[in-house]
Amino acid sequence: MDDRLSSERELIALDFLSGGGEAGSLMRARDWTSSPLGAPSTWPQSLRSVVGLLLGSKFPMFVAWGAELGFLYNDAYAEILGAKHPRALGGRFRDIWSEIWSDISPLIDAALAGEASYRENLPLLMNRKGFDEQTWFTFSYSPVRDETGRVAGMFCAVAETTGHVLAQRRQAFRIKLEETLRTLADPRDVMAAAVEALGQHLGANRVGYSEVQADEETIVCETCFANGVEPLVGTYSLSAFGPDSIARQRKGQVDICDDLTADPAQVYATWAAIETRAFVSVPLVRNGRLTASLYVNFREAHRWSPEEVELIEDVAARTWSAVERARAEAALADSEKRLRAFVTASSDVVYRMSPDWTELRQLDGRGLLLDAVSPNGDWLSSYVHPDDQPQVTAAIQDALRTKSMFEVDHRVRRADGTFGWIHSRALPILREDGEIVEWFGAASDVTARRQAEESIEKLALQLAQERTRLATLIENLPVGVALVDTQGTTVLSNPAFRRYRPDGVIPSRVPDDREEWIAHDDHGSQLPKNRYPSARALQGEQVTGIEFLHRLPDGQESWTRVSGIPIHDSAGHVSGALAVIVDIDDIKRSEEHQRLLINELNHRVKNTLATVQSIARQTLRNAPTMNDAKTALEGRLLALSRAHDVLTLENWEGAELREIAAQAVEPYSNRGEDRLHVNGPKVRLPPRMALAVAMVLQELATNAVKYGALSNATGEIRMSWRVEGRAPGRLRFRWEESGGPPVRTPTRRGFGSRLIERSLALDLDGDVRIDFAPTGVICTVDAPIA
């Protein structure tokens, strides 16, 4: 029982080691018997607090405790330890970092004496990965006191700044090298400056350039920086450095070796002879050929970092470009010398000018210009056209300022007194100190060329103007126009054309199931794409006026008329086609609308005649006398006419019920009277229903005038309606008379009543009823609005 309680108390006491990632796990699992720190259960609270702090941090930290400075750290610091981890855990600080102890021990002593310290970018030569490497760190050492107040250890928070320091140094090196190379013109000086700067920056024993000769088997080494070893100068065989190494470099691959003694693939004897154990060789390949290499040698083994290799590659590229540029400039200078000799031997005008161009010393006009055998200080006005003198003077001043070539085209007075054009070019002859001795120049007669250029410029301007006018015309044409090449691709098109062919391809390459253009031949078959006007035009056929129905992706359709005209080259071959698209959608729609109107007119005339025939037959059959028949017939035809007037105003698309009602009773309404009442919502009736309702109201109004509410001075008529059900719904209409003479049910129904209840009810496809109430006639209509 006591043992279990003791174990539980010990676990509780070690709570400060909980978490902490790998470092925490190692601390909990370690056997601390042989450690200078002893078992964690014996550690004082001050040490426990510091350990808990660093295990809970993501920043690199360690604590060294006790007389032997036992070493404890977190996961972040384990990355700094490298191969020293995890054996460093619990070890002695001095044993862990023995290689830098002399550098850091004064700071440790100060911390143990109670004095905190801080160092930024401190350089330290460490061996943490099996080899020495230069590193930099920013850190602080802080004393840690135990429960008695005595300094019992030290705490450190640390950040490695090696990458940052090296990056700064590399950048400074690049800037300084760039400034140095900018002032150099000689290729050898460029190479010498580059290898010395790189060698000193890297602390290398040897840096140099080797240039591959034309036989591609030997190299020449002339420029070399050496420190502690002999410089590599002379001619060598490429094969002596190993076939594998040379093969890699011929492919443009950098050859890297940290330690020749550990690399059996290297030719050890060659490298040993030149006192080299580690090297980097950066190939310089031009047009697929290995032309040179920049090499860096170390006498001892050296672990090359990626940053070092990248820097060497950068220097190789920069400096070799500068070398090639300097060589090109030197070659250009030699070429200029040969050019001067050539001009002297040619038929061109040659001349010599004073250093400041104030005096023409000599001129051999070669028949083009007057010779000048003695110095002429007035040469500018003697030879150069007045309008060109400012241009020539400006070119002279620019050449004097830069000590570079003078070159200009200008007009001159020729030997025959006329003006012509020359191309004049002069180079400065320099002393060794850079001062100009004189100018040597040559001039060629370019009059014919300038005249040709002026003619071409005028023609080009005219063509450009014509093209602009043509482009403006085409761009603003309401007709789609496009120029198509032999592959069916649009070369030039206007906006009206791009409306239909935005992809610029003719015929359309849209799959058949998404056909955009539809046309039919005389037999009603749909045209295949190879029979489209443009496709036929590319075969040499002229096609005009094929009508196509064009469908847009959104389903919208429009009618077009498409034409294709072949374009022939000078040999008579088809070199393209002109495609024309005319929008005829309005015309087609108008034709269709006209057809529909004619059909509708025929239909309505037939219906109207049938209605008139029915009215006439029924009226004549039931009228007591011919005068009665005439009066009734005229009234009913007039009602029909008024209804037609309403529908005509609405293009026979329907009519408002309120307007039909107003037209029906309008002949019987007098100004100042309030006997006719109309009440109901806005309802639009189709043509057939409008005619039927108009006839109903005409019969009711006529009856009311003869016998009902309108036969005296006090009667009133109320017309009301409503619409029920879903749209378009059913019409519920009511005609109600009041205030007229007493009404008795007739012994027989007249034609008007039968017309309303039977014939017109049939037209309305609904129910029409007339009730002869004592107070006045009531007529109700229940019919669908359709």
Side-chain angles (χ1 to χ4, degrees):
M1 181 69 175
D2 293 340
D3 291 341
R4 186 167 61 254
L5 289 173
S6 177
S7 298
E8 290 176 355
R9 282 195 296 271
E10 185 174 353
L11 290 173
I12 294 172
L14 296 180
D15 282 347
F16 69 94
L17 294 180
S18 61
E22 180 190 13
S25 299
L26 290 172
M27 289 183 190
R28 293 191 295 274
R30 180 182 172 86
D31 181 3
W32 294 91
T33 305
S34 59
S35 169
L37 293 170
S41 60
T42 66
W43 295 353
Q45 183 58 43
S46 52
L47 176 59
R48 295 184 181 197
S49 299
V50 174
V51 172
L53 169 68
L54 63 86
L55 287 178
S57 176
K58 298 297 182 181
F59 194 81
M61 299 177 179
F62 70 81
V63 61
W65 190 268
E68 297 185 75
L69 295 180
F71 205 66
L72 298 171
Y73 53 87
N74 60 7
D75 284 351
Y77 189 81
E79 297 180 9
I80 296 176
L81 286 166
K84 296 177 183 287
H85 173 72
R87 59 183 175 82
L89 192 65
R92 296 197 315 160
F93 193 178
R94 183 188 186 100
D95 296 337
I96 296 167
W97 290 118
S98 58
E99 69 270 25
I100 60 172
W101 191 255
S102 61
D103 298 309
I104 62 176
S105 58
L107 303 175
I108 296 172
D109 293 341
L112 294 177
E115 181 182 350
S117 61
Y118 174 79
R119 291 294 183 273
E120 185 174 5
N121 296 329
L122 181 68
L124 297 171
L125 187 64
M126 288 183 164
N127 190 315
R128 51 184 177 171
K129 301 176 184 176
F131 57 89
D132 290 343
E133 60 176 322
Q134 183 62 57
T135 63
W136 284 264
F137 286 87
T138 295
F139 60 89
S140 65
Y141 284 170
S142 303
V144 181
R145 300 180 184 274
D146 61 12
E147 285 71 14
T148 67
R150 180 180 61 86
V151 176
M154 53 160 289
F155 172 78
C156 175
V158 58
E160 182 170 0
T161 59
T162 303
H164 177 68
V165 171
L166 290 177
Q168 285 184 323
R169 292 189 173 190
R170 285 192 296 272
Q171 184 62 21
F173 168 78
R174 287 187 173 100
I175 294 173
K176 184 177 180 181
L177 178 61
E178 191 71 29
E179 292 175 349
T180 301
L181 297 182
R182 192 180 296 118
T183 63
L184 302 176
D186 185 87
R188 291 179 182 273
D189 293 342
V190 172
M191 288 190 286
V195 298
E196 182 176 0
L198 185 60
Q200 291 179 352
H201 178 76
L202 296 176
N205 296 109
R206 184 188 293 115
V207 181
Y209 276 101
S210 62
E211 295 191 57
V212 182
Q213 301 305 292
D215 61 5
E216 300 190 13
E217 297 296 334
T218 56
I219 56 173
V220 173
C221 301
E222 293 181 346
T223 307
C224 183
F225 162 82
N227 178 23
V229 296
E230 290 295 322
L232 196 62
V233 177
T235 302
Y236 302 89
S237 171
L238 273 174
S239 60
F241 294 89
D244 293 340
S245 174
I246 301 306
R248 284 192 290 271
Q249 294 188 59
R250 289 189 192 279
K251 295 177 182 178
Q253 299 173 4
V254 179
D255 200 21
I256 305 171
C257 180
D258 294 337
D259 188 354
L260 281 154
T261 62
D263 190 350
Q266 299 292 343
V267 183
Y268 179 74
T270 300
W271 297 105
I274 59 174
E275 299 181 89
T276 297
R277 189 170 170 184
F279 71 87
V280 167
S281 184
V282 178
L284 297 159
V285 179
R286 297 291 187 270
N287 299 321
R289 176 180 174 272
L290 177 63
T291 59
S293 295
L294 173 63
Y295 60 85
V296 181
N297 298 162
F298 274 89
R299 194 174 186 175
E300 302 298 332
H302 180 79
R303 183 63 62 93
W304 298 98
S305 69
E307 292 77 16
E308 288 177 323
V309 175
E310 180 184 358
L311 179 64
I312 297 169
E313 290 182 282
D314 185 44
V315 171
R318 288 171 182 261
T319 57
W320 195 250
S321 295
V323 168
E324 290 178 326
R325 183 172 60 252
R327 287 177 174 173
E329 290 173 353
L332 179 61
D334 291 339
S335 175
E336 291 293 346
K337 292 178 183 179
R338 290 192 293 271
L339 178 61
R340 285 199 299 271
F342 172 77
V343 170
T344 302
S346 72
S347 60
D348 288 346
V349 173
V350 291
Y351 59 90
R352 293 170 48 235
M353 285 286 184
S354 63
D356 59 359
W357 285 76
T358 59
E359 185 178 72
L360 174 62
R361 290 179 173 176
Q362 182 183 359
L363 184 145
D364 185 354
R366 309 294 175 92
L368 176 63
L369 305 178
L370 292 174
D371 294 340
V373 294
S374 58
N376 181 359
D378 195 31
W379 66 269
L380 190 64
S381 60
S382 300
Y383 289 96
V384 181
H385 191 285
D387 293 345
D388 293 350
Q389 290 176 17
Q391 176 190 2
V392 173
T393 301
I396 291 171
Q397 295 302 321
D398 186 61
L400 287 171
R401 185 180 64 258
T402 59
K403 295 182 180 181
S404 60
M405 183 185 300
F406 162 85
E407 187 172 16
V408 67
D409 280 10
H410 64 86
R411 286 168 289 181
V412 293
R413 182 178 285 106
R414 294 185 289 198
D416 61 3
T418 62
F419 281 100
W421 283 89
I422 64 167
H423 175 76
S424 182
R425 189 183 191 197
L427 285 172
I429 307 301
L430 303 176
R431 291 200 306 255
E432 291 183 359
D433 62 359
E435 290 301 314
I436 301 174
V437 177
E438 70 173 4
W439 293 81
F440 182 83
S444 303
D445 185 359
V446 295
T447 303
R449 188 198 75 192
R450 292 291 300 210
Q451 291 173 345
E453 288 176 352
E454 290 175 359
S455 297
I456 292 172
E457 288 177 0
K458 290 181 181 178
L459 180 60
L461 179 60
Q462 292 174 357
L463 290 175
Q465 292 173 343
E466 290 297 327
R467 182 171 182 174
T468 300
R469 285 194 288 267
L470 181 59
T472 302
L473 174 63
I474 292 176
E475 283 292 300
N476 292 281
L477 279 176
V479 176
V481 180
L483 182 63
V484 182
D485 64 16
T486 54
Q487 302 301 315
T489 302
T490 303
V491 178
L492 180 68
S493 64
N494 67 348
F497 184 87
R498 291 190 292 274
R499 169 189 171 192
Y500 297 100
R501 283 265 42 86
D503 60 359
V505 178
I506 297 177
S508 170
R509 293 177 183 171
V510 179
D512 289 338
D513 58 349
R514 288 182 54 219
E515 195 70 60
E516 288 184 278
W517 300 88
I518 299 175
H520 297 83
D521 59 20
D522 295 339
H523 304 291
S525 299
Q526 186 169 334
L527 284 181
K529 291 180 181 178
N530 61 4
R531 298 301 298 162
Y532 283 9
S534 297
R536 291 164 61 183
L538 291 174
Q539 299 299 318
E541 184 181 354
Q542 182 165 325
V543 185
T544 58
I546 295 183
E547 293 184 355
F548 281 85
L549 180 63
H550 178 246
R551 290 177 175 172
L552 293 174
D554 60 3
Q556 184 178 350
E557 295 181 345
S558 63
W559 281 97
T560 62
R561 182 177 291 115
V562 184
S563 302
I565 304 167
I567 298 174
H568 298 87
D569 58 20
S570 58
H573 301 127
V574 175
S575 60
L578 184 67
V580 181
I581 302 177
V582 180
D583 185 347
I584 61 169
D585 194 64
D586 288 344
I587 296 174
K588 296 291 287 188
R589 303 294 178 192
S590 296
E591 291 176 352
E592 180 66 21
H593 187 62
Q594 186 177 22
R595 248 189 328 268
L596 290 174
L597 286 177
I598 291 173
N599 292 336
E600 180 68 17
L601 180 61
N602 289 334
H603 174 71
R604 298 205 180 278
V605 168
K606 290 178 180 178
N607 286 345
T608 301
L609 291 176
T611 302
V612 171
Q613 183 182 31
S614 175
I615 292 173
R617 184 171 55 250
Q618 294 292 335
T619 302
L620 293 173
R621 180 187 304 164
N622 295 280
T625 67
M626 288 303 295
N627 285 334
D628 293 338
K630 176 183 177 183
T631 302
L633 184 59
E634 286 177 350
R636 288 163 182 162
L637 290 179
L638 184 60
L640 184 62
S641 173
R642 284 197 295 266
H644 275 245
D645 288 340
V646 174
L647 289 172
T648 301
L649 290 174
E650 298 293 335
N651 292 322
W652 278 83
E653 294 178 357
E656 288 292 331
L657 177 54
R658 181 177 296 275
E659 190 170 354
I660 295 171
Q663 287 283 355
V665 298
E666 191 273 337
Y668 314 111
S669 60
N670 295 316
R671 183 175 299 177
E673 292 184 345
D674 186 21
R675 306 173 64 188
L676 304 175
H677 308 283
V678 178
N679 182 32
K682 186 176 181 180
V683 180
R684 190 170 184 82
L685 303 181
R688 181 181 175 185
M689 191 174 189
L691 288 174
V693 170
M695 293 300 297
V696 169
L697 297 181
Q698 163 64 21
E699 293 298 327
L700 292 172
T702 301
N703 187 70
V705 169
K706 291 180 179 180
Y707 314 110
L710 299 181
S711 64
N712 62 15
T714 60
E716 295 183 4
I717 296 176
R718 283 180 172 78
M719 287 181 281
S720 61
W721 63 85
R722 67 180 185 279
V723 178
E724 297 179 352
R726 290 185 180 180
R730 293 186 69 87
L731 175 66
R732 308 287 190 178
F733 181 89
R734 181 181 180 89
W735 169 288
E736 183 175 1
E737 299 180 20
S738 62
V743 176
R744 290 180 299 175
T745 302
T747 55
R748 72 178 186 88
R749 294 294 179 100
F751 168 68
S753 299
R754 291 197 302 274
L755 176 67
I756 292 173
E757 292 183 326
R758 296 178 186 176
S759 299
L760 297 180
L762 200 62
D763 286 342
L764 290 172
D765 193 22
D767 182 31
V768 181
R769 294 183 56 189
I770 298 177
D771 293 325
F772 294 92
T775 57
V777 172
I778 298 174
C779 177
T780 59
V781 177
D782 180 6
I785 302 175

